[in-house]
Amino acid sequence: MLRALAAVVVAFAASALVLLVSGARPLPALAALVAGAVGDRFALTDTLLKTCPLLLTGLAVALAFRCGFWNIGAEGQLLMGALAATAVGRTTGAATFPLPLLAALGAATAAGALWATLAALLRVLRGVNEIVATIMLNFIAARLVGWAVHGPLMEAAGRYPQSDPVPTAALLPMVAGRVHLGVALAAALAAVIWALLFRTSVGFRWRVVGDNAQAARVAGFSPERAVLTAMLASGALAGLAGGIEVLGVTGRLFEQFSSGQGYTAIAVALLARLHPAGVTLAALFFGALAAGSGAMQRVAGVSAVFVAIVQAGTLLALLALEASRGRTIAAAEHP
Amino acid sequence: MTGAARPPRLALSGLDKRYGARRALAAVTLELAAGTIHGVLGENGAGKSTLVRIVAGALRPDTGSVAIDGTPLPLGAPRAARAAGVGVVFQHFALIGALSVAENLSLGRPETHSTRAWLTSPARLAAAASSLAERHGLAIGDPGARVDTLPVGTRARLEILRALSGPVKVLLLDEPTAVLTPVETAELFTTLRGLRDRGVLVVLITHKLAEALDVCDRVSVMRGGALVTTVATRDLSPATLAHLMIGDAGAPASGALATIAGTASAATAPTATSTRAAARALDAATPTRVAALIVHALSTPGAPGRTALHDVALAVEAGEICGVAGVDGNGQDELVAALYGLIPRGGVARVAGVVVPAGDVLAAQRAGVALIPGDRRREGLAPGLSLWENALLSRPLLARVAPHGVLDVGAARRAAAEIATRYRIVHARLDQPIADLSGGNQQRVVVGRALAALPRLLVAVNPTRGLDIAATAQVQATLTGVAGAGAAVLLISTDLDELRTLCARLFVLYRGRLHGPVAPDDRARLAALMAGLAA
């Protein structure tokens, strides 16, 4: 926790330098950033909406990493979830609420889980490196979405590469203003994932396998089975993130649907040290950054891309702090 | 040794190295002459590799010095050691698979670091490699071949060539034959003899007795970090060497060669009466008890780095501690893995009458088998998890505190606390990371966990290796207690003193075959079996 805070401080300090060098005045820019993230009701809503997909994908990544599976594929799993939610939402939308919504959310979850399981199977059965496998599956998912919005899901007007809106019966209800039910669902899932990891024997096995697979095998736990189940759960979370984004925010699918949330999720999970409570805080932080960046651009004229520097800087600072700590431990153990 | 006028090629004096409480090297003093092949023998953990690393400059000793031809070597300085003529072939080959033979040979060679070698070409490297190989009479084949396409025998030669690329006076080889076939080993030994004849001091680290006797002029035996003795191999039989290596509670550690040699000659021809007496004693114990473990025709496939088991038959009774002795690497790991379902096997194993299917850890656990693994860091503990989580790191134990898959943390912590109390595990909190505990306390966790499953058969592999005296005594008393309570214990150990203290019957593993039973006090026969001299 302390290290994470230190990393955030370092990143902001470094970012202020970047602002200075690029000729902007750091303090007003940062003030605009903060105001845009938490300044008023509108800003807070924006922060919560940006947090939601990061929280779910962050949980997905943290869960997989805990089991020793380097799932870099939350992005692809999210896209597959969004694609499935759109397709199912559009086809079942004529039925009465909440059946279309449930069907669409279920489809998103299943699609994400399936996409993740492909990578898990490749590793378990064929020994394929999961980092390569999940990244490749991300590319395929992005192309599939592209194909869908140019082809079968393309709007009836046929003008833009996007789907028609999902019918209202499949959309997530709002709980307050533009804040949809998915935000509450994501928060609840953070608690569920915590319980799953630390209060069930399944989670216990995942953690043991992630820590020492050979010891897990000797203890009678199958590392292969643990990886498969963990990736089912991880992919389901990321797929749900995509579904919720369609059904709660955008209402439709389009090309470039994700702004890279599945990759930011890795930063979220690492900053949180793979703990669900930490993931919640880190997702809020990165969500606030994303929300504030728009305001910063409007008010202070600093490009929203600047926020990417803060995000990356935070992660780099954290990794540097972790790495120096790791070396100290190694030196103490092997004099 | 050499005459007083000429200093020895390699002189080690008073080398000491500690890792925490463990003394890896204890006052090692040794003088070795040029133009000889010298073996250093000992079990895992005897200090052989530490010794190699110190001479190579990879490790700095706490005290002591190393001299080559009378010139002291700066310690902990690999470059200085190389410059002084020390060449090393490490246990795990350090070749780079994606590079060619010639490229690998050019790594770390002084001439390639001259300014002229700034620019190089495959042809120039290949020429240098070929001339080096020719100079030492070692065939390397195509210098342009990628190293990872070559057989291990060729790779071993490459490693040696690399070590010889400087002006080598001392060549250290750390278990170079571990991955070689017998033919490749024979070739390697021819190479080593050639080097010896040209005046190089060859130091061969090994735990294979036959090899040491085959190629070495003299051998030093190490045990527990200390040098036990140094003898010429022509005065030595395999049985004597086995005795020296595994230790002997009855005899002083060194200087007792005469006594041991006497026992050894008896080993090659055990008297009929003693064998029969032993057999009678064994028979007497057999019929009244129930066999907790019966193994019949057990075999495992061989693989690189694995010893195949052949036709292993074994019966262990309830209430008995049955020992399996043997020099490391004769199939111990495979026997344990096969019994516990970690690797596929042929043959039949029954625990308390129930057939245990092969390759199924869960089935073995359900049948009542528990394991104290030999390598607790690799197989016994999850270092990132807490003490209480590690105390429950076993499927049967976890099932008890997680009915229907939901972990009852209160019950789990109580169960862990009970283990901690019963086995006197020194700890601050149950939530403490297991990695913070000392080795002895970590082992107490592993032992306590195995016993908490209330096994019918406990398989314990070197359960006291690396432990201090108090922890050793406690673990040994625990094993005795388990057997007393009616479980069968299969104790697989390389520590013969421990086996003798605890076991009523001993078996010996040699090259994947199980021999015995042997009465624990029949030292001569044990030594003979361990050296592969008797069936």
Side-chain angles (χ1 to χ4, degrees):
Chain A
M1 188 68 203
L2 266 179
R3 256 195 304 279
L5 282 178
V8 169
V9 170
V10 170
F12 267 108
S15 312
L17 272 178
V18 173
L19 284 177
L20 266 179
V21 169
S22 61
R25 291 190 303 148
L27 279 182
L30 291 178
L33 181 73
V34 172
V38 293
D40 53 29
R41 199 182 155 82
F42 180 85
L44 280 173
T45 300
D46 219 24
T47 291
L48 284 180
L49 290 180
K50 294 281 199 294
T51 298
C52 182
L54 290 177
L55 174 52
L56 286 169
T57 50
L59 288 171
V61 171
L63 195 157
F65 281 18
R66 281 266 179 186
C67 191
F69 191 96
W70 303 107
N71 179 14
I72 313 298
E75 179 78 2
Q77 292 143 24
L78 175 144
L79 287 175
M80 293 308 286
L83 177 59
T86 309
V88 172
R90 296 236 355 113
T91 46
T92 62
T96 46
F97 181 86
L99 288 178
L101 172 64
L102 293 177
L105 286 179
T109 310
L114 170 79
W115 213 239
T117 306
L118 285 180
L121 282 173
L122 279 171
R123 177 168 119 181
V124 168
L125 299 179
R126 306 293 309 158
V128 175
N129 179 305
E130 72 268 22
I131 296 177
V132 177
T134 48
I135 290 176
M136 293 305 131
L137 285 167
N138 287 347
F139 290 135
I140 298 176
R143 296 297 167 269
L144 274 176
V145 167
W147 166 76
V149 295
H150 281 101
L153 287 180
M154 193 172 188
E155 58 179 1
R159 199 174 307 155
Y160 299 110
Q162 62 180 18
S163 74
D164 277 321
V166 174
T168 320
L171 295 182
L172 281 159
M174 299 296 156
V175 285
R178 289 183 298 128
V179 178
H180 53 75
L181 191 61
V183 176
L185 183 61
L189 277 171
V192 169
I193 296 303
W194 173 83
L196 192 60
L197 275 172
F198 298 104
R199 288 292 181 268
T200 70
S201 50
V202 173
F204 186 85
R205 286 179 213 182
W206 287 343
R207 291 187 293 123
V208 173
V209 167
D211 200 49
N212 183 349
Q214 183 57 21
R217 199 182 294 282
V218 170
F221 308 139
S222 156
E224 292 78 19
R225 196 175 300 172
V227 160
L228 281 173
T229 51
M231 282 308 283
L232 265 177
S234 173
L237 284 167
L240 187 61
I244 287 178
E245 204 57 8
V246 168
L247 307 174
V249 180
T250 67
R252 63 170 87 202
L253 186 69
F254 44 86
E255 216 165 15
Q256 311 296 331
F257 176 78
S258 167
S259 56
Q261 284 110 329
Y263 294 115
T264 308
I266 299 165
V268 168
L270 290 178
L271 187 63
R273 311 201 60 184
L274 311 184
H275 194 285
V279 170
T280 312
L281 292 176
L284 268 170
F285 172 62
F286 280 25
L289 278 181
S293 66
M296 189 173 64
Q297 185 159 10
R298 284 192 304 276
V299 177
V302 175
S303 164
V305 177
F306 167 76
V307 164
I309 300 179
V310 179
Q311 286 183 359
T314 305
L315 191 61
L316 282 177
L318 182 78
L319 291 176
L321 288 166
E322 294 270 319
S324 64
R325 177 170 157 270
R327 262 202 302 281
T328 320
I329 290 171
E333 277 178 358
H334 305 284
Chain B
M1 278 295 122
T2 47
R6 221 172 56 193
R9 171 54 57 87
L10 177 66
L12 313 174
S13 69
L15 288 179
D16 238 281
K17 181 73 194 173
R18 277 180 181 282
Y19 291 108
R22 200 170 70 85
R23 206 167 173 194
L25 273 190
V28 170
T29 296
L30 189 60
E31 296 195 341
L32 305 176
T36 60
I37 300 182
H38 193 92
V40 176
L41 280 103
E43 289 291 346
N44 286 348
K48 296 169 299 185
S49 292
T50 309
L51 195 65
V52 172
R53 294 180 62 205
I54 287 176
V55 177
L59 190 69
R60 180 189 279 278
D62 297 336
T63 58
S65 64
V66 177
I68 288 181
D69 289 337
T71 314
L73 206 60
L75 296 169
R79 274 162 189 271
R82 265 204 303 276
V86 177
V88 189
V89 176
F90 283 105
Q91 190 170 0
H92 302 288
F93 294 167
L95 297 169
I96 297 168
L99 297 187
S100 73
V101 168
E103 284 166 333
N104 267 285
L105 286 176
S106 77
L107 295 173
R109 273 176 68 188
E111 57 263 42
T112 57
H113 291 291
S114 68
T115 42
R116 278 193 51 211
W118 242 97
L119 279 173
T120 189
S121 70
R124 197 185 295 176
L125 288 180
S130 301
S131 85
L132 177 69
E134 220 164 284
R135 203 158 66 235
H136 294 286
L138 287 171
I140 53 166
D142 173 14
R146 262 178 71 132
V147 160
D148 53 11
T149 64
L150 302 174
V152 265
T154 314
R155 286 193 230 181
R157 279 200 298 277
L158 274 181
E159 276 286 348
I160 293 170
L161 261 185
R162 209 160 81 157
L164 290 175
S165 60
V168 171
K169 295 177 176 174
V170 178
L171 180 64
L172 299 162
L173 300 106
D174 192 357
E175 312 233 1
T177 63
V179 292
L180 299 187
T181 65
V183 178
E184 289 167 337
T185 303
E187 282 174 14
L188 172 69
F189 287 172
T190 310
T191 307
L192 296 185
R193 289 192 186 98
L195 290 170
R196 170 188 62 190
D197 297 343
R198 281 184 284 143
V200 175
L201 164 62
V202 178
V203 180
L204 179 70
I205 311 290
T206 181
H207 58 231
K208 297 185 181 169
L209 308 178
E211 282 179 3
L213 290 175
D214 179 14
V215 74
C216 298
D217 302 307
R218 297 162 67 81
V219 293
S220 293
V221 177
M222 294 190 72
R223 211 188 312 139
L227 209 56
V228 178
T229 184
T230 297
V231 283
T233 48
R234 62 169 181 280
D235 306 337
L236 214 53
S237 73
T240 316
L241 195 51
H243 252 295
L244 289 172
M245 231 173 115
I246 60 197
D248 193 316
S254 65
L257 268 183
T259 348
I260 297 166
T263 339
S265 61
T268 46
T271 58
T273 42
S274 73
T275 317
R276 240 181 283 129
R280 251 203 317 281
L282 296 173
D283 285 345
T286 314
T288 51
R289 297 251 179 91
V290 193
L293 170 70
I294 298 178
V295 173
H296 180 64
L298 182 135
S299 63
T300 62
R306 280 209 169 274
T307 309
L309 293 178
H310 304 283
D311 199 21
V312 169
L314 176 69
V316 186
E317 293 148 10
E320 179 194 20
I321 303 182
C322 176
V324 176
V327 176
D328 254 336
N330 272 294
Q332 286 94 333
D333 293 349
E334 291 74 15
L335 178 63
V336 172
L339 284 178
Y340 197 64
L342 288 166
I343 58 171
R345 60 161 167 82
V348 181
R350 287 170 192 273
V351 172
V354 179
V355 174
V356 183
D360 186 344
V361 176
L362 184 57
Q365 288 174 335
R366 288 208 173 120
V369 187
L371 173 66
I372 299 175
D375 187 342
R376 80 176 153 263
R377 291 175 85 141
R378 210 175 72 79
E379 306 197 297
L381 298 171
L385 269 56
S386 67
L387 166 59
W388 72 265
E389 286 166 319
N390 271 283
L392 299 170
L393 191 47
S394 137
R395 191 157 172 164
L397 290 191
L398 184 65
R400 260 186 242 166
V401 295
H404 316 298
V406 178
L407 192 61
D408 181 343
V409 176
R413 292 175 64 101
R414 277 195 299 281
E418 197 178 308
I419 291 176
T421 311
R422 176 179 296 184
Y423 296 96
R424 302 201 298 277
I425 296 165
V426 180
H427 65 286
R429 295 168 295 118
L430 284 173
D431 290 311
Q432 198 172 2
I434 192 78
D436 289 357
L437 264 56
S438 72
N441 284 309
Q442 290 179 356
Q443 184 70 348
R444 288 182 174 103
V445 173
V446 173
V447 170
R449 181 176 72 204
L451 296 183
L454 301 175
R456 289 194 182 92
L457 170 68
L458 176 66
V459 180
V461 187
N462 288 318
T464 62
R465 185 185 274 174
L467 300 191
D468 61 23
I469 296 173
T472 299
Q474 190 190 335
V475 169
Q476 292 184 345
T478 305
L479 294 183
T480 315
V482 178
V489 178
L490 186 63
L491 175 61
I492 289 138
S493 177
T494 49
D495 181 345
L496 208 54
D497 293 341
E498 172 167 282
L499 289 169
R500 285 213 195 95
T501 315
L502 296 177
C503 305
R505 292 185 309 154
L506 293 183
F507 290 82
V508 176
L509 262 177
Y510 181 76
R511 294 201 177 158
R513 290 183 190 278
L514 194 69
H515 302 278
V518 189
D521 52 2
D522 192 350
R523 290 176 189 168
R525 189 164 152 73
L526 274 174
L529 286 174
M530 288 173 72
L533 290 178

